[in-house]
Amino acid sequence: MAREENFKEELRSQDAPRNLNRHEAAGYPYSQSLKMLLRRLKVVTTKQDDKFANLLVAVGEFGTFQRRLVALTFIPSILSAFFMFADHFVFTAQKPYCNTSWILAVGPNLSEAEQMNLTIPRAPNGSFLTCLMYLPVPRNLDSIIHFGLNDTDTCRNGWIYPDAKKRSLINEFDLVCGMERKKDTPQIVFIAGLLIGSLVFGLITDKMGRYPAILLSLLGLIIFGFGTAFVNSFHLYLFFRFAVSQSVVGYSISSISLATEWLMDEHRAHAIILEHCFFAVGTVLLTGIAYSLPHWRLLFLVGGVPAFPLISYIWILPESPRWLMMKGKVKEAKQVLCYAASVNKKTIPADLLDQLPRKVTKASVLDFCKNRQLCKMMLVMGCVSFTISYTYFALTLRMTALDVSLYFSHVFPGIMEVPARLCCRFLLQKIGRKWSLAVALLQAVIWCLVLLFLPEGEDSLRLRQPRCLAAGLKSVKVLVLTLGEVSLAATATVLFIHTAELLPTVLRATGLGLVSLASAAGAILSLTTIRQTLSLLPIFFCCVSAIAGFSVSFLLPETQDQCLSDSLDHSSQMGNKVGDMTTEDTSSDDM
């Protein structure tokens, strides 16, 4: 304590007068270096009040142990993206025809073309009808060829797909001829699983710990992700997708909580950014693998095999010492911290370990309603999360309506999301969490407004303008949609960083789950309503929701260079102390 006070007094006596005199000649009452000095003083005081931050400094702020912890999130993040977007590639369009193998009983040597020509009726334009067939008749082949067939009916014996180049769920479970609407069901079921899993895994992570929640979610990825390749019915496929979606969101919540509580300052933000970057890498890898594989079952097999080595996380993944400390498990917290220090080749002073509190801190989800400040923050973060998800899925559906290649619509945004998220690192360092979130949301608002004013009706444009201009307009729309999706992806990353730092340790995972729940609700609303509205209204709704999210984001407090709060009381006390320290330093420097 005395050493820190001497350090602050030395900085005030040496740096402040020199900087102030230099900038007084330029007419500035405050200098940039003086502001940096105040920031350093606030950080020193904040860390001084946070006993656990002192422990992490003794362990090593970002040593070998922390680097290994961040690296452990890479493969599960790739697999999460793989299983999240796999539905988009297993419904390859197929043209069906009725199975009329009954005619082979009277003409076993008929080719497939001859069989279809005799038993499938034709449309007025000469093409074969896909959902009708001629009924069998008790006649020989020569009579059928000479007189033809007249009575038609719907397909009785299933369908054939003579032009199919890939085996997809459509020709696996015959999702044709009135069953086409089932193609949208897996996506809604998956998002419903995200919604339920957000709440369930948020509670599990705070009650049982980060380590068990991560292992449970990884086990779900192995069983339900890899096991999807062996389902024998469409309903069983839906069940497996519902289960794996809960594992995906469960891993996201628990891994962000673990990284937030093990790392300090900017290392915490960098770890979450890297985790989300590898999620984008997983989307790109999924697209390439899906393009090259001829069978949908192989896609889940290839994606599920890398999940089996994750069983080793049982022995190498640590528990969060902050969570252990809040649960009164001081002995386990000391063991984890000492192990981390040994990996980093550091030694923790005994007096620091003895300062760990032994009081058990209890909290429940009802505290989000009882605590006024926490309730306000959760409402704001839920609103922003809902806005991001609703707008993102609206833009994705808009991209699909433009008949853009399925593979292009995943690869191009996925590649661009990596540098966009890495740029958030510099924004977070320069302007903090609050303003970074506002800037990212502002970008999304701008792209939605640009899209709103672009001409509608591609067919009418072809009639009024040359074909090259219509094609150019489509390219502009695709570019704007892609930039909007990338901006929203970066916004989601900043939001998760800010949310994890705002919430106390005792309710961090539950709060992240509620924010994810709002995101899933926005996705479901987007998928169920946008297809039923006019073409211009969805983008208008996106603009309104994005502007609303941008406006309320200013209500969130800043968390840059501040210690994490562990309990509800500790959160409010730390906020008051930091504010008092800043006021005191500013007034003393003015004198």
Side-chain angles (χ1 to χ4, degrees):
M1 178 72 73
R3 186 170 64 249
E4 296 292 344
E5 291 295 328
N6 294 334
F7 173 71
K8 290 189 289 183
E9 291 295 331
E10 183 180 356
L11 287 176
R12 287 195 182 100
S13 61
Q14 295 181 4
D15 293 340
R18 183 184 59 203
N19 292 332
L20 189 59
N21 293 332
R22 185 178 65 211
H23 286 272
E24 279 179 347
Y28 291 99
Y30 297 101
S31 66
Q32 186 66 26
S33 58
L34 192 57
K35 292 179 181 179
M36 294 298 297
L37 174 62
L38 293 176
R39 180 177 171 183
R40 288 187 62 188
L41 289 174
K42 185 176 74 172
V43 173
V44 169
T45 307
T46 303
K47 289 184 178 180
Q48 185 180 18
D49 293 334
D50 187 6
K51 297 178 181 179
F52 194 83
N54 296 330
L55 271 173
L56 290 182
V57 172
V59 170
E61 292 191 22
F62 198 66
T64 303
F65 179 84
Q66 286 85 351
R67 294 190 186 96
R68 187 178 69 183
L69 178 65
V70 174
L72 289 175
T73 65
F74 294 164
I75 295 179
S77 297
I78 293 175
L79 293 179
S80 296
F82 198 99
F83 292 125
M84 186 170 185
F85 298 110
D87 284 331
H88 298 175
F89 300 95
V90 297
F91 289 95
T92 308
Q94 310 285 354
K95 194 168 185 180
Y97 299 100
C98 292
N99 181 11
T100 56
S101 57
W102 62 267
I103 199 173
L104 296 179
V106 295
N109 297 324
L110 290 174
S111 64
E112 188 177 67
E114 293 173 336
Q115 176 184 341
M116 293 176 60
N117 190 47
L118 291 174
T119 58
I120 296 179
R122 292 179 180 271
N125 61 0
S127 62
F128 289 109
L129 296 176
T130 57
C131 298
L132 292 177
M133 59 174 284
Y134 286 119
L135 292 175
V137 293
R139 299 191 313 211
N140 57 33
L141 182 60
D142 293 335
S143 176
I144 293 175
I145 295 175
H146 184 71
F147 296 103
L149 299 172
N150 296 319
D151 297 332
T152 61
D153 197 1
T154 56
C155 301
R156 294 185 174 184
N157 302 315
W159 292 264
I160 60 174
Y161 306 86
D163 301 327
K165 297 180 180 180
K166 287 189 174 184
R167 188 73 171 174
S168 69
L169 286 177
I170 291 180
N171 51 9
E172 180 82 16
F173 301 120
D174 293 330
L175 304 179
V176 294
C177 296
M179 305 287 285
E180 291 87 355
R181 291 186 177 181
K182 287 189 175 183
K183 293 189 295 184
D184 300 328
T185 305
Q187 193 171 14
I188 296 178
V189 168
F190 190 91
I191 298 176
L194 293 179
L195 191 147
I196 296 175
S198 299
L199 184 59
V200 172
F201 269 91
L203 296 173
I204 289 176
T205 306
D206 276 337
K207 294 297 181 182
M208 299 175 57
R210 284 57 168 136
Y211 172 77
I214 291 178
L215 293 183
L216 185 61
S217 59
L218 293 180
L219 181 63
L221 290 179
I222 296 173
I223 295 176
F224 298 106
F226 183 77
T228 307
F230 303 97
V231 298
N232 56 5
S233 69
F234 186 67
H235 292 92
L236 190 59
Y237 175 84
L238 294 178
F239 171 76
F240 271 64
R241 296 299 295 163
F242 178 79
V244 80
S245 65
Q246 299 185 50
S247 301
V248 169
V249 71
Y251 175 76
S252 176
I253 293 171
S254 53
S255 63
I256 289 177
S257 299
L258 185 65
T260 299
E261 292 162 6
W262 262 112
L263 301 175
M264 295 182 60
D265 302 333
E266 296 304 321
H267 300 302
R268 184 187 307 132
H270 298 167
I272 298 176
I273 289 172
L274 282 177
E275 182 176 345
H276 285 194
C277 285
F278 275 88
F279 185 87
V281 171
T283 304
V284 177
L285 292 177
L286 167 66
T287 307
I289 295 174
Y291 181 80
S292 58
L293 293 179
H295 203 296
W296 70 272
R297 294 186 187 273
L298 291 176
L299 183 64
F300 285 100
L301 287 174
V302 172
V305 167
F308 284 95
L310 300 181
I311 298 175
S312 61
Y313 280 31
I314 297 176
W315 299 279
I316 60 179
L317 196 69
E319 180 57 274
S320 166
R322 280 186 181 270
W323 181 85
L324 291 171
M325 185 177 65
M326 290 296 99
K327 294 298 181 180
K329 302 179 180 180
V330 180
K331 181 179 179 181
E332 292 85 345
K334 290 181 179 180
Q335 292 176 350
V336 173
L337 289 169
C338 291
Y339 172 73
S342 65
V343 173
N344 291 337
K345 298 180 180 179
K346 301 281 186 177
T347 302
I348 304 177
D351 57 337
L352 283 179
L353 289 175
D354 294 336
Q355 292 177 4
L356 287 176
R358 300 178 180 274
K359 182 180 179 181
V360 179
T361 305
K362 295 183 179 181
S364 68
V365 69
L366 296 178
D367 290 321
F368 287 109
C369 300
K370 297 177 182 178
N371 190 295
R372 183 177 179 182
Q373 182 69 15
L374 192 61
C375 180
K376 184 183 76 171
M377 289 193 303
M378 286 305 304
L379 288 176
V380 173
M381 290 183 292
C383 177
V384 175
S385 180
F386 180 90
T387 295
I388 294 172
S389 181
Y390 179 86
T391 308
Y392 184 88
F393 276 88
L395 297 183
T396 302
L397 293 174
R398 188 75 169 181
M399 182 84 77
T400 305
L402 291 176
D403 293 330
V404 180
S405 170
L406 176 64
Y407 302 100
F408 175 85
S409 62
H410 284 79
V411 169
F412 191 43
I415 293 175
M416 293 183 64
E417 282 177 13
V418 175
R421 285 181 164 126
L422 291 177
C423 289
C424 293
R425 171 183 176 181
F426 302 101
L427 276 179
L428 293 169
Q429 288 178 344
K430 296 297 181 182
I431 61 178
R433 276 61 166 157
K434 177 179 178 179
W435 286 101
S436 297
L437 180 61
V439 169
L441 280 170
L442 181 61
Q443 290 181 351
V445 171
I446 292 173
W447 295 123
C448 288
L449 290 174
V450 171
L451 193 63
L452 183 64
F453 289 102
L454 287 177
E456 290 291 326
E458 190 175 343
D459 294 334
S460 60
L461 281 171
R462 288 199 184 103
L463 296 176
R464 292 180 294 175
Q465 299 179 2
R467 183 176 298 178
C468 59
L469 292 179
L473 178 62
K474 179 180 178 180
S475 300
V476 171
K477 285 184 178 181
V478 171
L479 179 61
V480 173
L481 287 169
T482 302
L483 292 174
E485 291 179 13
V486 171
S487 299
L488 290 167
T491 307
T493 299
V494 177
L495 177 65
F496 272 101
I497 294 172
H498 201 182
T499 302
E501 292 179 343
L502 282 173
L503 296 171
T505 300
V506 289
L507 290 174
R508 181 167 291 116
T510 305
L512 286 170
L514 293 176
V515 172
S516 300
L517 186 147
S519 176
I524 291 178
L525 182 64
S526 179
L527 291 174
T528 54
T529 62
I530 286 182
R531 292 190 180 98
Q532 304 174 6
T533 58
L534 299 177
S535 58
L536 194 61
L537 286 179
I539 304 302
F540 176 75
F541 292 152
C542 291
C543 293
V544 173
S545 62
I547 292 173
F550 171 75
S551 302
V552 301
S553 65
F554 290 98
L555 299 176
L556 294 175
E558 180 57 69
T559 58
Q560 187 179 21
D561 297 328
Q562 296 186 17
C563 62
L564 292 178
S565 59
D566 292 321
S567 63
L568 299 178
D569 297 335
H570 176 70
S571 178
S572 59
Q573 291 174 3
M574 287 302 299
N576 294 333
K577 288 181 180 180
V578 172
D580 295 340
M581 180 63 194
T582 305
T583 305
E584 179 184 351
D585 288 342
T586 304
S587 59
S588 63
D589 286 332
D590 288 342
M591 294 178 61

